[in-house]
Amino acid sequence: MSSADKAKLDGIEAGANKYVHPTGDGNLHVPPTGTSNNNKVLKAGATAGSLSWGYVNWNEVDGKPVNLASIVVSGTEPTNADFWYQEI
C-alpha cells in the first residue's frame, strides 16, 4: 500500500458509510402499508415521487368495455361476477 493510500484510509472515520440513496423518480420506497390500506393499490400521482395507496375508481380504468354486448364470457356461466372476459 502506498503512503498516500494509507493516509487516505487513516482519515476515514470508523464505521463511515459513503452510500447515498438515489432520490430520483423510480428510486423511491413504497409508502407504509397497514390495515387501512387493505385491498388498495399503489397509485402514482401527477408529479414525480408522488405515491399513495388508494382504490381504483371505475372512471380511472382504461380499456373497459363500453357495454355488456362487447363482453364475451368463456366457459361456464359466471357466478357472483366472478368471470373472465375479453373485448371483441
PDB file of all heavy atoms in Angstrom, residues 59-88:
ATOM      1  N   ASN A  59     -63.947   5.215 -13.237  1.00  0.00           N
ATOM      2  CA  ASN A  59     -63.613   6.205 -14.265  1.00  0.00           C
ATOM      3  C   ASN A  59     -62.104   6.311 -14.519  1.00  0.00           C
ATOM      4  O   ASN A  59     -61.683   6.953 -15.460  1.00  0.00           O
ATOM      5  CB  ASN A  59     -64.204   7.574 -13.924  1.00  0.00           C
ATOM      6  CG  ASN A  59     -63.639   8.153 -12.656  1.00  0.00           C
ATOM      7  OD1 ASN A  59     -62.958   7.468 -11.894  1.00  0.00           O
ATOM      8  ND2 ASN A  59     -63.930   9.407 -12.396  1.00  0.00           N
ATOM      9  N   GLU A  60     -61.282   5.674 -13.691  1.00  0.00           N
ATOM     10  CA  GLU A  60     -59.834   5.679 -13.892  1.00  0.00           C
ATOM     11  C   GLU A  60     -59.353   4.496 -14.734  1.00  0.00           C
ATOM     12  O   GLU A  60     -58.202   4.460 -15.138  1.00  0.00           O
ATOM     13  CB  GLU A  60     -59.109   5.618 -12.542  1.00  0.00           C
ATOM     14  CG  GLU A  60     -59.347   6.804 -11.664  1.00  0.00           C
ATOM     15  CD  GLU A  60     -58.730   6.628 -10.289  1.00  0.00           C
ATOM     16  OE1 GLU A  60     -58.930   5.578  -9.652  1.00  0.00           O
ATOM     17  OE2 GLU A  60     -58.033   7.563  -9.859  1.00  0.00           O
ATOM     18  N   VAL A  61     -60.225   3.530 -14.992  1.00  0.00           N
ATOM     19  CA  VAL A  61     -59.841   2.317 -15.706  1.00  0.00           C
ATOM     20  C   VAL A  61     -59.908   2.567 -17.214  1.00  0.00           C
ATOM     21  O   VAL A  61     -60.935   2.986 -17.732  1.00  0.00           O
ATOM     22  CB  VAL A  61     -60.769   1.140 -15.321  1.00  0.00           C
ATOM     23  CG1 VAL A  61     -60.415  -0.112 -16.111  1.00  0.00           C
ATOM     24  CG2 VAL A  61     -60.674   0.875 -13.821  1.00  0.00           C
ATOM     25  N   ASP A  62     -58.788   2.311 -17.892  1.00  0.00           N
ATOM     26  CA  ASP A  62     -58.742   2.425 -19.346  1.00  0.00           C
ATOM     27  C   ASP A  62     -59.027   1.064 -19.969  1.00  0.00           C
ATOM     28  O   ASP A  62     -58.718   0.028 -19.383  1.00  0.00           O
ATOM     29  CB  ASP A  62     -57.366   2.896 -19.818  1.00  0.00           C
ATOM     30  CG  ASP A  62     -57.094   4.346 -19.478  1.00  0.00           C
ATOM     31  OD1 ASP A  62     -58.061   5.114 -19.347  1.00  0.00           O
ATOM     32  OD2 ASP A  62     -55.908   4.706 -19.354  1.00  0.00           O
ATOM     33  N   GLY A  63     -59.592   1.042 -21.162  1.00  0.00           N
ATOM     34  CA  GLY A  63     -59.804  -0.197 -21.887  1.00  0.00           C
ATOM     35  C   GLY A  63     -60.975  -1.023 -21.389  1.00  0.00           C
ATOM     36  O   GLY A  63     -61.070  -2.206 -21.697  1.00  0.00           O
ATOM     37  N   LYS A  64     -61.854  -0.431 -20.593  1.00  0.00           N
ATOM     38  CA  LYS A  64     -63.005  -1.181 -20.099  1.00  0.00           C
ATOM     39  C   LYS A  64     -64.076  -1.261 -21.184  1.00  0.00           C
ATOM     40  O   LYS A  64     -64.139  -0.408 -22.068  1.00  0.00           O
ATOM     41  CB  LYS A  64     -63.555  -0.553 -18.827  1.00  0.00           C
ATOM     42  CG  LYS A  64     -64.043   0.866 -18.990  1.00  0.00           C
ATOM     43  CD  LYS A  64     -64.434   1.462 -17.640  1.00  0.00           C
ATOM     44  CE  LYS A  64     -64.783   2.910 -17.794  1.00  0.00           C
ATOM     45  NZ  LYS A  64     -63.977   3.807 -17.077  1.00  0.00           N
ATOM     46  N   PRO A  65     -64.928  -2.293 -21.142  1.00  0.00           N
ATOM     47  CA  PRO A  65     -65.970  -2.406 -22.159  1.00  0.00           C
ATOM     48  C   PRO A  65     -66.968  -1.261 -22.051  1.00  0.00           C
ATOM     49  O   PRO A  65     -67.271  -0.779 -20.965  1.00  0.00           O
ATOM     50  CB  PRO A  65     -66.636  -3.745 -21.843  1.00  0.00           C
ATOM     51  CG  PRO A  65     -66.241  -4.071 -20.459  1.00  0.00           C
ATOM     52  CD  PRO A  65     -64.952  -3.373 -20.189  1.00  0.00           C
ATOM     53  N   VAL A  66     -67.459  -0.837 -23.189  1.00  0.00           N
ATOM     54  CA  VAL A  66     -68.435   0.248 -23.235  1.00  0.00           C
ATOM     55  C   VAL A  66     -69.801  -0.246 -22.781  1.00  0.00           C
ATOM     56  O   VAL A  66     -70.531   0.452 -22.090  1.00  0.00           O
ATOM     57  CB  VAL A  66     -68.521   0.845 -24.659  1.00  0.00           C
ATOM     58  CG1 VAL A  66     -69.586   1.922 -24.736  1.00  0.00           C
ATOM     59  CG2 VAL A  66     -67.172   1.386 -25.074  1.00  0.00           C
ATOM     60  N   ASN A  67     -70.155  -1.472 -23.186  1.00  0.00           N
ATOM     61  CA  ASN A  67     -71.429  -2.042 -22.770  1.00  0.00           C
ATOM     62  C   ASN A  67     -71.285  -3.552 -22.668  1.00  0.00           C
ATOM     63  O   ASN A  67     -70.287  -4.126 -23.097  1.00  0.00           O
ATOM     64  CB  ASN A  67     -72.547  -1.654 -23.732  1.00  0.00           C
ATOM     65  CG  ASN A  67     -72.238  -2.067 -25.153  1.00  0.00           C
ATOM     66  OD1 ASN A  67     -71.816  -3.196 -25.393  1.00  0.00           O
ATOM     67  ND2 ASN A  67     -72.430  -1.168 -26.090  1.00  0.00           N
ATOM     68  N   LEU A  68     -72.287  -4.210 -22.104  1.00  0.00           N
ATOM     69  CA  LEU A  68     -72.201  -5.650 -21.901  1.00  0.00           C
ATOM     70  C   LEU A  68     -72.192  -6.433 -23.194  1.00  0.00           C
ATOM     71  O   LEU A  68     -71.712  -7.555 -23.239  1.00  0.00           O
ATOM     72  CB  LEU A  68     -73.346  -6.119 -21.001  1.00  0.00           C
ATOM     73  CG  LEU A  68     -73.281  -5.624 -19.558  1.00  0.00           C
ATOM     74  CD1 LEU A  68     -74.477  -6.137 -18.773  1.00  0.00           C
ATOM     75  CD2 LEU A  68     -71.993  -6.040 -18.887  1.00  0.00           C
ATOM     76  N   ALA A  69     -72.701  -5.867 -24.279  1.00  0.00           N
ATOM     77  CA  ALA A  69     -72.705  -6.565 -25.560  1.00  0.00           C
ATOM     78  C   ALA A  69     -71.283  -6.797 -26.070  1.00  0.00           C
ATOM     79  O   ALA A  69     -71.053  -7.683 -26.887  1.00  0.00           O
ATOM     80  CB  ALA A  69     -73.511  -5.773 -26.579  1.00  0.00           C
ATOM     81  N   SER A  70     -70.326  -6.026 -25.592  1.00  0.00           N
ATOM     82  CA  SER A  70     -68.943  -6.177 -26.056  1.00  0.00           C
ATOM     83  C   SER A  70     -68.158  -7.185 -25.229  1.00  0.00           C
ATOM     84  O   SER A  70     -66.984  -7.385 -25.451  1.00  0.00           O
ATOM     85  CB  SER A  70     -68.231  -4.826 -26.039  1.00  0.00           C
ATOM     86  OG  SER A  70     -68.090  -4.371 -24.711  1.00  0.00           O
ATOM     87  N   ILE A  71     -68.834  -7.853 -24.276  1.00  0.00           N
ATOM     88  CA  ILE A  71     -68.153  -8.830 -23.419  1.00  0.00           C
ATOM     89  C   ILE A  71     -68.500 -10.234 -23.887  1.00  0.00           C
ATOM     90  O   ILE A  71     -69.657 -10.566 -24.089  1.00  0.00           O
ATOM     91  CB  ILE A  71     -68.563  -8.657 -21.942  1.00  0.00           C
ATOM     92  CG1 ILE A  71     -68.175  -7.281 -21.437  1.00  0.00           C
ATOM     93  CG2 ILE A  71     -67.931  -9.741 -21.083  1.00  0.00           C
ATOM     94  CD1 ILE A  71     -68.652  -6.982 -20.039  1.00  0.00           C
ATOM     95  N   VAL A  72     -67.463 -11.052 -24.049  1.00  0.00           N
ATOM     96  CA  VAL A  72     -67.656 -12.456 -24.379  1.00  0.00           C
ATOM     97  C   VAL A  72     -67.252 -13.256 -23.160  1.00  0.00           C
ATOM     98  O   VAL A  72     -66.121 -13.166 -22.695  1.00  0.00           O
ATOM     99  CB  VAL A  72     -66.794 -12.879 -25.589  1.00  0.00           C
ATOM    100  CG1 VAL A  72     -66.910 -14.373 -25.831  1.00  0.00           C
ATOM    101  CG2 VAL A  72     -67.180 -12.082 -26.807  1.00  0.00           C
ATOM    102  N   VAL A  73     -68.183 -14.024 -22.624  1.00  0.00           N
ATOM    103  CA  VAL A  73     -67.897 -14.851 -21.449  1.00  0.00           C
ATOM    104  C   VAL A  73     -67.489 -16.220 -21.944  1.00  0.00           C
ATOM    105  O   VAL A  73     -68.192 -16.840 -22.729  1.00  0.00           O
ATOM    106  CB  VAL A  73     -69.134 -14.951 -20.526  1.00  0.00           C
ATOM    107  CG1 VAL A  73     -68.829 -15.837 -19.334  1.00  0.00           C
ATOM    108  CG2 VAL A  73     -69.573 -13.570 -20.090  1.00  0.00           C
ATOM    109  N   SER A  74     -66.354 -16.697 -21.474  1.00  0.00           N
ATOM    110  CA  SER A  74     -65.903 -18.018 -21.889  1.00  0.00           C
ATOM    111  C   SER A  74     -66.076 -18.993 -20.737  1.00  0.00           C
ATOM    112  O   SER A  74     -65.972 -18.620 -19.574  1.00  0.00           O
ATOM    113  CB  SER A  74     -64.444 -17.965 -22.332  1.00  0.00           C
ATOM    114  OG  SER A  74     -63.633 -17.514 -21.280  1.00  0.00           O
ATOM    115  N   GLY A  75     -66.362 -20.247 -21.059  1.00  0.00           N
ATOM    116  CA  GLY A  75     -66.521 -21.263 -20.025  1.00  0.00           C
ATOM    117  C   GLY A  75     -67.953 -21.330 -19.541  1.00  0.00           C
ATOM    118  O   GLY A  75     -68.896 -21.066 -20.272  1.00  0.00           O
ATOM    119  N   THR A  76     -68.119 -21.669 -18.278  1.00  0.00           N
ATOM    120  CA  THR A  76     -69.452 -21.799 -17.705  1.00  0.00           C
ATOM    121  C   THR A  76     -70.007 -20.444 -17.322  1.00  0.00           C
ATOM    122  O   THR A  76     -69.299 -19.443 -17.328  1.00  0.00           O
ATOM    123  CB  THR A  76     -69.407 -22.695 -16.455  1.00  0.00           C
ATOM    124  OG1 THR A  76     -68.525 -22.089 -15.513  1.00  0.00           O
ATOM    125  CG2 THR A  76     -68.900 -24.087 -16.788  1.00  0.00           C
ATOM    126  N   GLU A  77     -71.273 -20.432 -16.990  1.00  0.00           N
ATOM    127  CA  GLU A  77     -71.921 -19.186 -16.583  1.00  0.00           C
ATOM    128  C   GLU A  77     -71.196 -18.571 -15.383  1.00  0.00           C
ATOM    129  O   GLU A  77     -70.817 -19.275 -14.453  1.00  0.00           O
ATOM    130  CB  GLU A  77     -73.380 -19.444 -16.221  1.00  0.00           C
ATOM    131  CG  GLU A  77     -74.278 -19.636 -17.423  1.00  0.00           C
ATOM    132  CD  GLU A  77     -74.394 -18.382 -18.253  1.00  0.00           C
ATOM    133  OE1 GLU A  77     -74.534 -17.299 -17.672  1.00  0.00           O
ATOM    134  OE2 GLU A  77     -74.333 -18.478 -19.475  1.00  0.00           O
ATOM    135  N   PRO A  78     -71.002 -17.271 -15.387  1.00  0.00           N
ATOM    136  CA  PRO A  78     -70.337 -16.622 -14.256  1.00  0.00           C
ATOM    137  C   PRO A  78     -71.232 -16.622 -13.020  1.00  0.00           C
ATOM    138  O   PRO A  78     -72.455 -16.596 -13.115  1.00  0.00           O
ATOM    139  CB  PRO A  78     -70.114 -15.196 -14.751  1.00  0.00           C
ATOM    140  CG  PRO A  78     -71.138 -15.003 -15.804  1.00  0.00           C
ATOM    141  CD  PRO A  78     -71.369 -16.343 -16.428  1.00  0.00           C
ATOM    142  N   THR A  79     -70.591 -16.679 -11.878  1.00  0.00           N
ATOM    143  CA  THR A  79     -71.327 -16.581 -10.616  1.00  0.00           C
ATOM    144  C   THR A  79     -70.730 -15.440  -9.818  1.00  0.00           C
ATOM    145  O   THR A  79     -69.511 -15.296  -9.737  1.00  0.00           O
ATOM    146  CB  THR A  79     -71.229 -17.876  -9.804  1.00  0.00           C
ATOM    147  OG1 THR A  79     -69.856 -18.171  -9.569  1.00  0.00           O
ATOM    148  CG2 THR A  79     -71.874 -19.038 -10.539  1.00  0.00           C
ATOM    149  N   ASN A  80     -71.572 -14.639  -9.253  1.00  0.00           N
ATOM    150  CA  ASN A  80     -71.144 -13.516  -8.416  1.00  0.00           C
ATOM    151  C   ASN A  80     -70.135 -12.612  -9.121  1.00  0.00           C
ATOM    152  O   ASN A  80     -69.175 -12.150  -8.524  1.00  0.00           O
ATOM    153  CB  ASN A  80     -70.554 -14.005  -7.092  1.00  0.00           C
ATOM    154  CG  ASN A  80     -71.557 -14.762  -6.273  1.00  0.00           C
ATOM    155  OD1 ASN A  80     -72.748 -14.470  -6.315  1.00  0.00           O
ATOM    156  ND2 ASN A  80     -71.104 -15.758  -5.546  1.00  0.00           N
ATOM    157  N   ALA A  81     -70.341 -12.412 -10.415  1.00  0.00           N
ATOM    158  CA  ALA A  81     -69.466 -11.567 -11.230  1.00  0.00           C
ATOM    159  C   ALA A  81     -68.029 -12.050 -11.211  1.00  0.00           C
ATOM    160  O   ALA A  81     -67.090 -11.305 -11.398  1.00  0.00           O
ATOM    161  CB  ALA A  81     -69.549 -10.105 -10.773  1.00  0.00           C
ATOM    162  N   ASP A  82     -67.848 -13.364 -10.976  1.00  0.00           N
ATOM    163  CA  ASP A  82     -66.527 -13.975 -10.969  1.00  0.00           C
ATOM    164  C   ASP A  82     -66.266 -14.587 -12.341  1.00  0.00           C
ATOM    165  O   ASP A  82     -66.495 -15.764 -12.548  1.00  0.00           O
ATOM    166  CB  ASP A  82     -66.453 -15.082  -9.921  1.00  0.00           C
ATOM    167  CG  ASP A  82     -65.513 -14.737  -8.795  1.00  0.00           C
ATOM    168  OD1 ASP A  82     -64.805 -13.737  -8.888  1.00  0.00           O
ATOM    169  OD2 ASP A  82     -65.496 -15.501  -7.837  1.00  0.00           O
ATOM    170  N   PHE A  83     -65.864 -13.824 -13.312  1.00  0.00           N
ATOM    171  CA  PHE A  83     -65.654 -14.362 -14.638  1.00  0.00           C
ATOM    172  C   PHE A  83     -64.533 -13.616 -15.331  1.00  0.00           C
ATOM    173  O   PHE A  83     -64.144 -12.532 -14.944  1.00  0.00           O
ATOM    174  CB  PHE A  83     -66.935 -14.326 -15.475  1.00  0.00           C
ATOM    175  CG  PHE A  83     -67.476 -12.931 -15.684  1.00  0.00           C
ATOM    176  CD1 PHE A  83     -67.078 -12.165 -16.765  1.00  0.00           C
ATOM    177  CD2 PHE A  83     -68.402 -12.388 -14.790  1.00  0.00           C
ATOM    178  CE1 PHE A  83     -67.573 -10.895 -16.959  1.00  0.00           C
ATOM    179  CE2 PHE A  83     -68.910 -11.110 -14.978  1.00  0.00           C
ATOM    180  CZ  PHE A  83     -68.501 -10.362 -16.054  1.00  0.00           C
ATOM    181  N   TRP A  84     -64.035 -14.271 -16.380  1.00  0.00           N
ATOM    182  CA  TRP A  84     -63.006 -13.661 -17.228  1.00  0.00           C
ATOM    183  C   TRP A  84     -63.713 -13.155 -18.474  1.00  0.00           C
ATOM    184  O   TRP A  84     -64.637 -13.744 -18.974  1.00  0.00           O
ATOM    185  CB  TRP A  84     -61.964 -14.696 -17.636  1.00  0.00           C
ATOM    186  CG  TRP A  84     -61.185 -15.183 -16.482  1.00  0.00           C
ATOM    187  CD1 TRP A  84     -61.423 -16.285 -15.734  1.00  0.00           C
ATOM    188  CD2 TRP A  84     -60.030 -14.578 -15.925  1.00  0.00           C
ATOM    189  NE1 TRP A  84     -60.507 -16.403 -14.740  1.00  0.00           N
ATOM    190  CE2 TRP A  84     -59.629 -15.369 -14.832  1.00  0.00           C
ATOM    191  CE3 TRP A  84     -59.300 -13.442 -16.254  1.00  0.00           C
ATOM    192  CZ2 TRP A  84     -58.518 -15.060 -14.060  1.00  0.00           C
ATOM    193  CZ3 TRP A  84     -58.187 -13.140 -15.480  1.00  0.00           C
ATOM    194  CH2 TRP A  84     -57.823 -13.958 -14.399  1.00  0.00           C
ATOM    195  N   TYR A  85     -63.284 -12.037 -18.982  1.00  0.00           N
ATOM    196  CA  TYR A  85     -63.871 -11.527 -20.200  1.00  0.00           C
ATOM    197  C   TYR A  85     -62.793 -10.980 -21.107  1.00  0.00           C
ATOM    198  O   TYR A  85     -61.682 -10.712 -20.669  1.00  0.00           O
ATOM    199  CB  TYR A  85     -64.928 -10.454 -19.905  1.00  0.00           C
ATOM    200  CG  TYR A  85     -64.332  -9.141 -19.445  1.00  0.00           C
ATOM    201  CD1 TYR A  85     -63.996  -8.141 -20.344  1.00  0.00           C
ATOM    202  CD2 TYR A  85     -64.094  -8.901 -18.099  1.00  0.00           C
ATOM    203  CE1 TYR A  85     -63.437  -6.946 -19.925  1.00  0.00           C
ATOM    204  CE2 TYR A  85     -63.541  -7.717 -17.667  1.00  0.00           C
ATOM    205  CZ  TYR A  85     -63.228  -6.741 -18.585  1.00  0.00           C
ATOM    206  OH  TYR A  85     -62.677  -5.570 -18.155  1.00  0.00           O
ATOM    207  N   GLN A  86     -63.150 -10.862 -22.339  1.00  0.00           N
ATOM    208  CA  GLN A  86     -62.251 -10.216 -23.291  1.00  0.00           C
ATOM    209  C   GLN A  86     -63.062  -9.315 -24.194  1.00  0.00           C
ATOM    210  O   GLN A  86     -64.220  -9.581 -24.461  1.00  0.00           O
ATOM    211  CB  GLN A  86     -61.499 -11.257 -24.111  1.00  0.00           C
ATOM    212  CG  GLN A  86     -62.402 -12.108 -24.989  1.00  0.00           C
ATOM    213  CD  GLN A  86     -61.624 -13.184 -25.704  1.00  0.00           C
ATOM    214  OE1 GLN A  86     -60.546 -13.571 -25.251  1.00  0.00           O
ATOM    215  NE2 GLN A  86     -62.150 -13.669 -26.793  1.00  0.00           N
ATOM    216  N   GLU A  87     -62.452  -8.236 -24.605  1.00  0.00           N
ATOM    217  CA  GLU A  87     -63.136  -7.338 -25.517  1.00  0.00           C
ATOM    218  C   GLU A  87     -63.053  -7.868 -26.923  1.00  0.00           C
ATOM    219  O   GLU A  87     -62.055  -8.458 -27.311  1.00  0.00           O
ATOM    220  CB  GLU A  87     -62.514  -5.942 -25.447  1.00  0.00           C
ATOM    221  CG  GLU A  87     -62.797  -5.236 -24.147  1.00  0.00           C
ATOM    222  CD  GLU A  87     -62.326  -3.797 -24.174  1.00  0.00           C
ATOM    223  OE1 GLU A  87     -62.655  -3.087 -25.128  1.00  0.00           O
ATOM    224  OE2 GLU A  87     -61.619  -3.416 -23.232  1.00  0.00           O
ATOM    225  N   ILE A  88     -64.114  -7.684 -27.693  1.00  0.00           N
ATOM    226  CA  ILE A  88     -64.088  -8.111 -29.090  1.00  0.00           C
ATOM    227  C   ILE A  88     -64.167  -6.909 -29.999  1.00  0.00           C
ATOM    228  O   ILE A  88     -64.508  -5.834 -29.617  1.00  0.00           O
ATOM    229  CB  ILE A  88     -65.235  -9.095 -29.421  1.00  0.00           C
ATOM    230  CG1 ILE A  88     -66.591  -8.478 -29.059  1.00  0.00           C
ATOM    231  CG2 ILE A  88     -65.013 -10.396 -28.712  1.00  0.00           C
ATOM    232  CD1 ILE A  88     -67.769  -9.307 -29.477  1.00  0.00           C
TER     233      ILE A  88
END
